[in-house]
């Protein structure tokens, strides 16, 4: 019983790591734009499809497919950012919701139109098991954990010490003052948006070998999984997002094991409802952005 519990907690941490990499991009975008990107999960899907295409059609290795998946997503995110996201600076929140929902529909249906709506087998990744402290984990799951830690350490260093990070923090605090002192706010929004999309794509290509299959609608569920995370973590709070993702990942793993696998996806939605009723500003401070 104890070993099963510990094993499920470890699995939950791995799942939480996936959610954290995706959600931190969404929460950074909210921090500078004050709008929730409802198309965020589609960049997770695009990264996965980019890697799948590189392996199945181009014959590249999994390592190379990771680069292809992320770069292709960055290109698409750049186009979307230039055409849409830069124009959202100072726009009403309703405009951001409608715009990102429209983008999500366009991206999802374009992929379904090009590649079909069926499930595709993802053949890449590291599936060999390794033993850590008596527990067996696939190498891919260990890689996800390591990358998640590196991502958050890198983000912490970036927002603290780099010019881009300082600009992101400034825009998240006061857009008008940034414009007065000469900071190019639309450019900061664009770069933050591209960074968030790239992180979502990274999460997608890392998770694909664990999920085994990819399909056009996979980004939609990820979007709705990240919503309770960024709300629980405090909108715009990067550190809170990390801990909220771990809490949700562990909760899903325990519910799937001890209650039933069919109830796993309800945990996020139930958490969202409870958070909106009980503590709508989140478990962590919304003032601690970045």
């Amino acid at each position: 019983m104890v070993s099963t519990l510990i094993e499920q907690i470890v699995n939950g941490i791995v799942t939480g790591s996936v959610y954290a990499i995706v959600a931190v991009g969404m929460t950074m975008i909210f921090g500078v734009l004050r709008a929730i990107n409802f198309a965020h999960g589609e960049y997770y899907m695009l990264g996965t499809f980019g890697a799948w295409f590189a392996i199945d059609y181009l014959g590249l290795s999994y390592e190379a497919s990771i680069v292809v998946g992320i770069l292709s997503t960055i290109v698409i995110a750049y186009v979307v950012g230039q055409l849409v996201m830069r124009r959202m600076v100072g726009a009403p929140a309703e405009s951001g919701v409608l715009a990102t929902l429209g983008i999500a529909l366009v991206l999802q249906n374009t992929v379904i139109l090009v590649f079909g709506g069926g499930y595709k087998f993802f053949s890449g990744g590291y599936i060999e098991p390794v033993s850590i402290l008596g527990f067996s984990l696939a190498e891919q799951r260990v890689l996800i954990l390591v990358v998640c830690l590196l991502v958050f350490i890198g983000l912490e260093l970036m927002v603290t010490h780099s010019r881009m990070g300082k600009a992101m923090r400034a825009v998240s605090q006061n857009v008008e003052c940034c414009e007065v002192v000469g900071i190019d706010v639309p450019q900061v929004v664009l770069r933050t948006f591209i960074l968030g999309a790239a992180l979502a794509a990274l999460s997608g290509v890392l998770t694909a070998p664990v999920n085994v299959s990819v399909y056009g609608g996979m980004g939609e569920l990820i979007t709705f999984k990240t919503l309770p995370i960024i709300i629980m973590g405090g909108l715009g709070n990067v550190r809170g997002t990390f801990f909220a993702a771990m809490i949700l990942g562990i909760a899903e793993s325990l519910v799937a094991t001890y209650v039933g696998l069919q109830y796993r996806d309800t945990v996020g939605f139930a958490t969202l409802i409870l958070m909106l009723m009980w503590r709508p500003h989140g478990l962590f401070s919304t003032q601690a952005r970045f």
Side-chain angles (χ1 to χ4, degrees):
M1 290 291 292
V2 175
S3 62
T4 301
L5 176 62
I6 296 175
E7 183 177 359
Q8 294 309 311
I9 291 175
V10 172
N11 288 334
I13 292 173
V14 174
T15 303
S17 298
V18 174
Y19 294 160
I21 298 174
V22 180
V24 71
M26 182 183 279
T27 202
M28 286 193 304
I29 293 169
F30 180 88
V32 298
L33 201 56
R34 300 294 193 275
I36 294 176
N37 179 18
F38 283 96
H40 196 66
E42 307 311 322
Y43 302 103
Y44 170 96
M45 178 268 295
L46 288 172
T48 306
F49 264 88
W52 167 79
F53 182 85
I55 292 174
D56 278 30
Y57 286 86
L58 303 181
L60 300 180
S61 64
Y62 175 63
E63 293 81 4
S65 75
I66 294 176
V67 178
V68 172
I70 295 174
L71 288 180
S72 59
T73 304
I74 288 175
V75 171
I76 295 172
Y78 176 80
V79 174
V80 173
Q82 287 282 15
L83 295 177
V84 181
M85 303 309 292
R86 284 169 59 99
R87 304 172 190 273
M88 291 296 103
V89 177
E94 296 83 357
S95 300
V97 172
L98 293 175
T100 54
L101 283 174
I103 293 169
L105 290 173
V106 170
L107 294 176
Q108 181 182 133
N109 286 281
T110 299
V111 169
I112 293 174
L113 180 65
V114 174
F115 297 109
Y119 286 76
K120 281 81 176 169
F121 175 71
F122 193 92
S123 57
Y126 310 108
I127 59 175
E128 294 298 321
V130 293
S131 181
I132 301 177
L133 299 177
F135 296 96
S136 180
L137 279 176
E139 292 175 341
Q140 191 70 30
R141 293 180 177 270
V142 177
L143 177 63
I144 291 172
L145 285 171
V146 173
V147 170
C148 178
L149 291 176
L150 292 176
V151 163
F152 274 85
I153 292 172
L155 287 175
E156 183 70 24
L157 293 174
M158 185 199 74
V159 301
T160 304
H161 301 291
S162 71
R163 287 177 59 88
M164 176 61 190
K166 292 176 182 178
M168 289 166 56
R169 291 165 60 191
V171 172
S172 71
Q173 293 169 14
N174 195 309
V175 174
E176 290 77 12
C177 286
C178 289
E179 292 174 338
V180 169
V181 299
I183 294 177
D184 190 346
V185 175
Q187 190 65 20
V188 173
V189 169
L190 176 63
R191 292 178 180 177
T192 306
F193 173 71
I194 293 174
L195 175 60
L199 289 174
L202 173 63
S203 181
V205 297
L206 290 177
T207 314
V210 178
N211 294 334
V212 180
S213 60
V214 299
Y215 60 100
M218 63 190 303
E220 189 175 7
L221 181 60
I222 289 295
T223 298
F224 288 108
K225 287 289 185 72
T226 53
L227 278 176
I229 291 173
I230 66 172
I231 292 174
M232 190 191 310
L235 290 169
N237 188 331
V238 172
R239 299 183 189 94
T241 298
F242 175 81
F243 291 109
M246 293 301 162
I247 291 171
L248 181 60
I250 293 172
E252 283 191 352
S253 181
L254 294 177
V255 167
T257 302
Y258 296 107
V259 180
L261 185 61
Q262 67 272 27
Y263 298 107
R264 175 179 176 175
D265 290 337
T266 65
V267 175
F269 296 103
T271 303
L272 177 60
I273 294 172
L274 291 175
M275 288 303 302
L276 291 174
M277 292 174 56
W278 172 58
R279 197 176 172 88
H281 55 279
L283 296 176
F284 304 91
S285 172
T286 57
Q287 301 300 318
R289 291 193 174 95
F290 302 108

